[in-house]
Amino acid sequence: MAKTLKTSPYVNLNLNVRGLNQSATLQINERSNQLIKQGTTVYKLGLGQSPFPVPEIVQEALRRNTHQKDYLPVKGLLKLREAIAEFNYRHQGIEGSADDIMIGPGSKELIFILQLVYYGELIIPTPSWVSYSPQARIAGRHVSWVPTSEESEWKLSPEKLDLICRSDPERPRVVILNYPSNPTGATYSRSWLKKLAGVARKYKLILISDEIYSLLDHEGNHVSIAQYYPEGTIISSGLSKWAGAGGWRLGTFTFPENLKWLQNAMATVASETFTSTSAPIQYAAVTAFEDHPEIDEYLFHSRRILKSLGNYFAARLRENYITVPTPKGGFYLFPNFNIYREKLAGRGILTSFELCETILRETGIAMLPGMEFGRQPEELTCRIAYVDFNGEEVLFKAMNEYKDRPLNTDFLRKHCSKMLYAMDKLEEWLLDL
Ligand code: PMP
Ligand code: GLU
């Protein structure tokens, strides 16, 4: 006779996890792949994954290190941490040493562990990346969402941050500032960063500066807020976006000297959970953080392509009366379909979730609803990850045939045709509303 469970597994779930689903980014990816398997044409603008291959010299470094089999130090391989300290100095003038660096299996895991070990509420602007808030909930932390406005490209305003902190100035808090932004593509000027740094200093905030898209700033001009608030900023980064290595799972945290206690607490949790990050990946990552002309060239052309596509998409969306900030870095757009509200309501579409579901069903275009990023469900925003093209081929063309030619619409039509076709389909769908 089959044994039956006496209690429902649901009842035995930790309260912090109960009712949570798998992360929206990963769900849309699996769903898109399933639809493709069933024969549907899907435009994969849901998951934010770099379309570009891992730079060849980094792949070669991994091939050379397949024999690395030992557990590595909890905080990470010394040589890699040294390379990252030098990388920080080279790119941002930040002085530090290997001691200030911690490596983890993805920056996502490091951000989670920080929220677990630090007993403070989480402050994030809305919209923010999908995982910060569920992580806070799992760790049992309170979340305060800071409102932003479309006019200011959904950016975190120093005044609003100050307003939230003023109500209880002594409360321990973690702020996550992510730029270039997922989901909006926005970035911050030096003067804006200085003001944010001023507020952070005033309230002694712990600032996680999520700079995972920093090298994909379209102009190559990323500035770290750690230059203005060094004592309280932890820089979060990794290989996933600029090196096209999301699946390698390698993330990095750079701590200031006076947050060593936090780094040590995180290392304790790491030592009791993931132990250390995969050894061959860490050895290969040393090459990624070193100064190599091949990597500079790879990044230069990756940025050109992303800038060109981002500008093109933003312009096409605006031609269709959709409001959207032009992305300044990374590979996301955050359009607002508000102008179509009445027509959409006529079709029973009242939320961003319903909007994305209907568009996926009727056109095959996969996107993520703004509500996954902390926006109100009724706001008709969504995130487009403009990454469904053959990154290897497009990069090769940009580096060779188009090295000295602009990556204009003809180039995009020829080499990113699926992306442009997705835009044509969306336009048709809007016209038929
Ligand atoms: N921050 C942001 C803004 C992201 O988009 C992602 C998604 N890759 C992460 C952090 C986590 O990246 P990873 O864990 O791959 O380092
Ligand atoms: N960060 C990516 C995104 O926003 C996906 C990877 C992930 O969520 O872990 O789509």
Side-chain angles (χ1 to χ4, degrees):
M1 209 173 86
K3 281 188 187 156
T4 51
L5 286 172
K6 290 225 172 65
T7 51
S8 144
Y10 186 76
V11 168
N12 290 340
L13 276 180
N14 180 328
L15 262 181
N16 293 353
V17 178
R18 212 176 277 183
L20 282 181
N21 290 317
Q22 269 195 38
S23 188
T25 53
L26 305 171
Q27 269 194 59
I28 191 72
N29 188 41
E30 290 177 22
R31 190 153 158 227
S32 302
N33 289 342
Q34 181 126 31
L35 285 169
I36 292 169
K37 244 190 195 162
Q38 290 162 3
T40 310
T41 302
V42 177
Y43 303 88
K44 292 183 71 180
L45 315 186
L47 178 74
Q49 168 158 273
S50 165
F52 302 115
V54 176
E56 183 47 40
I57 54 166
V58 183
Q59 291 192 46
E60 175 51 33
L62 182 59
R63 284 193 285 273
R64 279 198 313 273
N65 280 289
T66 50
H67 65 284
Q68 304 289 356
K69 61 172 219 11
D70 290 345
Y71 291 117
L72 292 180
V74 174
K75 287 182 186 166
L77 176 71
L78 181 62
K79 215 169 151 221
L80 174 59
R81 294 163 69 211
E82 281 168 355
I84 293 168
E86 278 167 32
F87 172 96
N88 287 337
Y89 184 68
R90 211 165 57 243
H91 285 273
Q92 294 296 329
I94 290 164
E95 292 189 24
S97 71
D99 279 351
D100 308 321
I101 315 290
M102 178 159 174
I103 312 294
S107 60
K108 193 178 195 171
E109 182 67 18
L110 293 173
I111 296 169
F112 174 66
I113 293 183
L114 184 128
Q115 297 207 61
L116 193 72
V117 302
Y118 186 68
Y119 190 69
E121 78 163 338
L122 174 69
I123 301 195
I124 40 177
T126 160
S128 274
W129 179 47
V130 296
S131 290
Y132 303 141
S133 163
Q135 287 189 347
R137 179 168 158 197
I138 295 167
R141 302 287 169 262
H142 180 262
V143 181
S144 278
W145 291 92
V146 188
T148 66
S149 69
E150 191 171 2
E151 294 68 45
S152 63
E153 301 186 332
W154 313 104
K155 288 195 278 214
L156 177 63
S157 109
E159 293 76 23
K160 296 231 172 75
L161 180 61
D162 191 291
L163 203 64
I164 287 211
C165 297
R166 205 180 302 161
S167 59
D168 186 357
E170 299 303 322
R171 187 169 183 177
R173 294 182 168 105
V174 175
V175 177
I176 306 184
L177 180 70
N178 161 234
Y179 66 103
S181 158
N182 176 2
T184 67
T187 191
Y188 292 83
S189 64
R190 281 185 183 270
S191 58
W192 195 309
L193 292 174
K194 275 186 202 164
K195 284 190 198 148
L196 283 172
V199 179
R201 180 165 297 124
K202 182 170 160 193
Y203 297 103
K204 300 186 181 66
L205 304 175
I206 299 228
L207 182 61
I208 302 181
S209 188
D210 184 344
E211 303 183 20
I212 193 145
Y213 297 93
S214 60
L215 293 180
L216 296 182
D217 176 294
H218 294 168
E219 303 302 332
N221 280 339
H222 181 82
V223 177
S224 175
I225 193 169
Q227 291 189 22
Y228 303 115
Y229 183 48
E231 71 273 27
T233 303
I234 299 165
I235 305 172
S236 178
S237 193
L239 289 186
S240 298
K241 307 301 171 181
W242 63 269
W248 283 27
R249 310 306 303 126
L250 186 127
T252 67
F253 260 22
T254 301
F255 294 83
E257 179 62 33
N258 54 318
L259 295 184
K260 188 123 295 185
W261 54 275
L262 207 46
Q263 184 187 14
N264 289 337
M266 285 180 61
T268 300
V269 174
S271 76
E272 300 291 10
T273 51
F274 65 80
T275 305
S276 58
T277 303
S278 157
I281 296 295
Q282 289 203 54
Y283 277 96
V286 174
T287 303
F289 286 100
E290 283 169 353
D291 196 5
H292 292 287
E294 294 93 323
I295 293 185
D296 290 343
E297 197 195 2
Y298 164 97
L299 281 171
F300 177 79
H301 293 286
S302 302
R303 288 182 195 125
R304 280 177 79 208
I305 296 163
L306 294 175
K307 178 179 172 183
S308 176
L309 256 178
N311 285 351
Y312 175 85
F313 257 68
R316 283 285 300 274
L317 288 162
R318 283 195 210 108
E319 277 169 24
N320 288 282
Y321 311 105
I322 289 167
T323 49
V324 61
T326 301
K328 307 292 190 320
F331 37 67
Y332 303 106
L333 292 143
F334 199 65
N336 188 346
F337 290 70
N338 188 41
I339 191 93
Y340 294 96
R341 176 170 295 282
E342 274 182 28
K343 285 185 176 175
L344 291 167
R347 293 204 45 199
I349 300 169
L350 302 174
T351 65
S352 59
F353 176 78
E354 288 161 359
L355 177 65
C356 289
E357 282 296 308
T358 314
I359 292 179
L360 176 59
R361 209 173 43 244
E362 297 184 2
T363 68
I365 302 169
M367 307 183 292
L368 282 179
M371 56 187 277
E372 296 290 356
F373 300 83
R375 301 302 303 168
Q376 289 303 313
E378 304 74 33
E379 181 185 270
L380 297 171
T381 46
C382 58
R383 185 191 81 175
I384 293 177
Y386 51 97
V387 294
D388 194 359
F389 58 91
N390 182 337
E392 187 162 3
E393 186 190 306
V394 177
L395 196 58
F396 182 81
K397 292 278 173 200
M399 281 176 165
N400 295 287
E401 212 177 311
Y402 285 82
K403 191 162 182 263
D404 302 311
R405 286 157 65 189
L407 303 182
N408 56 16
T409 308
D410 284 347
F411 172 86
L412 299 178
R413 274 255 167 246
K414 218 160 146 189
H415 302 295
C416 304
S417 56
K418 191 171 177 201
M419 294 288 309
L420 271 62
Y421 192 54
M423 190 61 233
D424 296 343
K425 286 207 93 168
L426 185 63
E427 197 166 77
E428 269 170 37
W429 187 83
L430 290 168
L431 277 173
D432 285 346
L433 275 179

